[in-house]
Amino acid sequence: MCEGNFTPEEDARTPPLFDDEELVDAQGPPTGGDREIALGCEDGRIYLLEGLKLRSFIKVGYTVTTVLSYQPTKSSTPGLADYLICAGYFNAFNVYYQGTLVARTVTSDWVHTISIGDVDEDSAQEVVVGTLDNYLLCYKFFKT
């Protein structure tokens, strides 16, 4: 479970994954805006709790054990959605933006633990993953 802004209320702009990119228009209309709680569940879905309403948000297809909210840039622009990272009973972690899969990183085994932090002190956040086969991996976002 995590808190974040996954469906922005204002304009539907995608925050840049990198500090030197500009904001770009996202596909589809925005639907929310307030802070939401994302819940990963055994049925393979991620649900959003908005106020007192629970709704299905993403169908992952596998049991989801971990969800994290992630804002990779230092942007303080209000109304931008957070990225949602999830892992579970599958050998990968997925990154979603406004309900759309934007990245999938395959790992050697199921992800046991996942965290976000500035590992190399370069002021950019990295994703740190521990897998069930005893590997500790660090991922940095790069342009392709």
Side-chain angles (χ1 to χ4, degrees):
M1 166 173 38
C2 71
E3 176 195 14
N5 181 18
F6 306 111
T7 55
E9 182 176 15
E10 299 190 8
D11 58 5
R13 297 186 301 169
T14 304
L17 270 173
F18 310 97
D19 288 329
D20 61 345
E21 288 183 347
E22 295 181 18
L23 297 174
V24 295
D25 291 332
Q27 300 297 319
T31 59
D34 294 328
R35 302 298 284 178
E36 302 141 330
I37 296 174
L39 306 161
C41 296
E42 287 184 0
D43 67 357
R45 293 182 183 269
I46 296 174
Y47 294 88
L48 287 186
L49 181 62
E50 302 168 296
L52 297 176
K53 295 181 181 178
L54 184 67
R55 70 178 176 95
S56 179
F57 184 53
I58 299 168
K59 183 179 179 184
V60 178
Y62 302 96
T63 297
V64 178
T65 58
T66 304
V67 289
L68 295 172
S69 172
Y70 180 59
Q71 190 60 255
T73 66
K74 299 174 199 159
S75 172
S76 60
T77 307
L80 293 179
D82 296 334
Y83 287 86
L84 184 67
I85 299 175
C86 78
Y89 291 177
F90 51 102
N91 64 324
F93 66 90
N94 296 344
V95 181
Y96 294 91
Y97 182 74
Q98 291 185 338
T100 302
L101 181 67
V102 294
R104 178 178 175 91
T105 301
V106 176
T107 57
S108 57
D109 202 348
W110 288 0
V111 174
H112 178 67
T113 188
I114 189 166
S115 186
I116 298 170
D118 184 7
V119 175
D120 55 5
E121 297 180 358
D122 65 350
S123 71
Q125 301 290 311
E126 289 86 31
V127 177
V128 180
V129 175
T131 58
L132 287 178
D133 58 355
N134 296 319
Y135 282 94
L136 184 61
L137 309 163
C138 182
Y139 295 92
K140 182 181 283 284
F141 288 98
F142 286 103
K143 292 182 186 180
T144 56

